[in-house]
C-alpha cells in the first residue's frame, strides 16, 4: 500500500481515518505500507505520527520504517529541476524500492493460516 495523506488541520483526513476503522484486518494484515504526507506549508509530520500510532492496530498493516513528507507541495510541483525536488524524487525511488523488498519478505507470512476469527483486533 502507498498512502498519500494530505495534511488536514495537522491531522489525517477524517475519511482516511475512517477507512482504517472499518477495514477488515484480513484485507491489510501483514502487507507493507508506505506513508507519504503532503502539506501545503512546512508541516506534514503529524499525519505520519498519527498513522504510525494507531493506523495499524486493527488492520495489522505493516508500515515500513521509511516515509516521505512533501512540504510546500505547490513549489514541489512547479519546478521539477529545483535541487529539493530532485532530492525528493530520488528519495521517493528509494522508498519504493524498500517497499517492494518488504512486500517480498512479508509474502510468506501472509500465506500462513492465521486465526483472524479468533484474534480480529490488535491489543
Amino acid at each position: 500500500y502507498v498512502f498519500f495523506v494530505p495534511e488536514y488541520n495537522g491531522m489525517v483526513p477524517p475519511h482516511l481515518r475512517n477507512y482504517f476503522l472499518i477495514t477488515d484486518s484480513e484485507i491489510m494484515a501483514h502487507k507493507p505500507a508506505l506513508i507519504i504526507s503532503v502539506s501545503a506549508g512546512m508541516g506534514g509530520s503529524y499525519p505520519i505520527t498519527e498513522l504510525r500510532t494507531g493506523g495499524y492496530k486493527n488492520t495489522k498493516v505493516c508500515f515500513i520504517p521509511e516515509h516521505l513528507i512533501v512540504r510546500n507541495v505547490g513549489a514541489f510541483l512547479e519546478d521539477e529541476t529545483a535541487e529539493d525536488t530532485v532530492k525528493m524524487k530520488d528519495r521517493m525511488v528509494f522508498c519504493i524500492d524498500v517497499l517492494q523488498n518488504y512486500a517480498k519478505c512479508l509474502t510468506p507470512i501472509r500465506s500462513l493460516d492465521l486465526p483472524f476469527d479468533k484474534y480480529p483486533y490488535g491489543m
Side-chain angles (χ1 to χ4, degrees), residues 8-121:
Y8 179 80
N9 293 327
M11 300 183 307
V12 171
H15 287 86
L16 182 58
R17 174 47 90 189
N18 194 48
Y19 174 78
F20 281 97
L21 291 172
I22 63 172
T23 300
D24 190 287
S25 65
E26 289 185 57
I27 295 170
M28 298 179 76
H30 309 292
K31 293 180 182 171
L34 170 64
I35 305 169
I36 302 175
S37 180
V38 180
S39 178
M42 288 303 294
S45 61
Y46 289 122
I48 305 263
T49 303
E50 187 177 343
L51 284 178
R52 287 190 184 281
T53 301
Y56 71 92
K57 183 185 175 291
N58 291 337
T59 62
K60 300 177 183 171
V61 67
C62 296
F63 293 116
I64 66 170
E66 298 295 330
H67 61 262
L68 294 166
I69 302 174
V70 181
R71 295 184 168 110
N72 296 316
V73 70
F76 175 80
L77 296 172
E78 284 177 7
D79 186 3
E80 292 189 23
T81 61
E83 184 179 347
D84 289 344
T85 302
V86 172
K87 286 180 181 179
M88 179 58 79
K89 286 182 178 183
D90 185 51
R91 184 73 181 192
M92 288 176 177
V93 170
F94 168 74
C95 287
I96 293 297
D97 287 343
V98 171
L99 180 66
Q100 289 174 331
N101 282 301
Y102 268 83
K104 289 175 189 172
C105 292
L106 288 172
T107 299
I109 294 172
R110 290 192 304 273
S111 65
L112 297 174
D113 187 24
L114 299 172
F116 288 109
D117 53 334
K118 187 174 179 180
Y119 301 107
Y121 307 110

